[in-house]
Amino acid sequence: MFWFSLRSILYPENRYIWIQVRIIHETNKAILIDHGRKVWIAKSQIAKIRLRRGIFEIYVKEKVVR
């Protein structure tokens, strides 16, 4: 079998990752985070937020943060 299909080439799936962040500021539409550098992320791009061992983690598309 093929390890990939034509569909996966034409429509690559969005990869989501958990990243540790420090939330600096929040507005109605976005959150300013510190993950090595300060970045505004729209709330619509954040899939999940969790607090683990006193550290905030957000679940976002890999290409949003990098």
Side-chain angles (χ1 to χ4, degrees):
M1 290 212 140
F2 293 106
W3 290 101
F4 59 90
S5 66
L6 184 59
R7 183 183 180 281
S8 66
I9 292 171
L10 296 176
Y11 306 103
E13 293 182 26
N14 295 323
R15 292 185 53 194
Y16 283 84
I17 57 171
W18 284 102
I19 58 168
Q20 294 181 354
V21 296
R22 186 170 56 117
I23 297 174
I24 298 173
H25 186 72
E26 179 182 3
T27 67
N28 290 340
K29 296 182 180 181
I31 295 175
L32 178 63
I33 63 163
D34 185 9
H35 176 65
R37 64 181 197 267
K38 294 179 182 175
V39 178
W40 282 98
I41 296 182
K43 287 184 176 179
S44 61
Q45 295 179 343
I46 299 173
K48 299 176 187 176
I49 297 178
R50 70 180 177 192
L51 180 64
R52 197 166 95 174
R53 296 187 207 116
I55 299 172
F56 279 105
E57 294 181 340
I58 60 174
Y59 193 62
V60 292
K61 292 180 185 176
E62 186 174 29
K63 59 185 172 184
V64 169
V65 181
R66 296 181 194 236

